[in-house]
Amino acid sequence: MLANYAPVLIFLLVAAAFGAALLALGMALGSGSKDPQKLSPYECGFEAFEDSRIRFDVRYYLVAILFIIFDLEIAFLFPWAVSLDRIGVFGLVSMAVFLAVLVVGFIYEWRKGALEWD
């Protein structure tokens, strides 16, 4: 049974060794002198004028949820449409349930006013 996982273990060991080798190579060949200008925070070419831990407006998160809703819908609709003839009625019902959940999320966004750009 352990022999079945040997390729995965070998892959993980090679990946870890490769990552460690690249980190060591970067430390060995990289310049160690870091001036204050290089270590300063960078935000659009000028110093930050507010605290970075400010609270965001709820509409920002609502727009993010809206993006996820539409992104998931498109990501799952294409493979479903291609294989609809093979998955039959079960696939049709499954996608109907999935789209119903997305519509509930969309209605939630609409009610919260995420689509209003005041």
Side-chain angles (χ1 to χ4, degrees):
M1 172 122 172
L2 187 60
N4 293 336
Y5 294 106
V8 175
L9 182 63
I10 292 171
F11 177 76
L12 289 174
L13 289 174
V14 168
F18 187 69
L22 287 178
L23 283 173
L25 189 64
M27 289 179 147
L29 297 178
S31 64
S33 61
K34 307 283 190 231
D35 58 355
Q37 184 69 21
K38 191 168 188 171
L39 294 175
S40 68
Y42 178 76
E43 181 180 334
C44 301
F46 52 86
E47 290 293 324
F49 51 86
E50 288 185 15
D51 186 19
S52 63
R53 299 190 190 279
I54 61 172
R55 293 181 64 142
F56 286 100
D57 191 7
V58 168
R59 286 180 288 184
Y60 173 79
Y61 296 107
L62 293 176
V63 170
I65 291 171
L66 187 65
F67 172 75
I68 290 171
I69 287 171
F70 287 116
D71 189 43
L72 282 177
E73 182 180 1
I74 297 302
F76 287 120
L77 273 177
F78 280 127
W80 171 79
V82 169
S83 64
L84 183 58
D85 57 342
R86 285 179 281 169
I87 56 178
V89 176
F90 176 74
L92 185 66
V93 172
S94 298
M95 186 53 71
V97 169
F98 175 72
L99 289 176
V101 170
L102 289 179
V103 166
V104 167
F106 180 71
I107 291 171
Y108 172 76
E109 291 278 332
W110 197 342
R111 296 244 180 199
K112 285 293 189 177
L115 301 177
E116 296 174 9
W117 301 102
D118 308 324

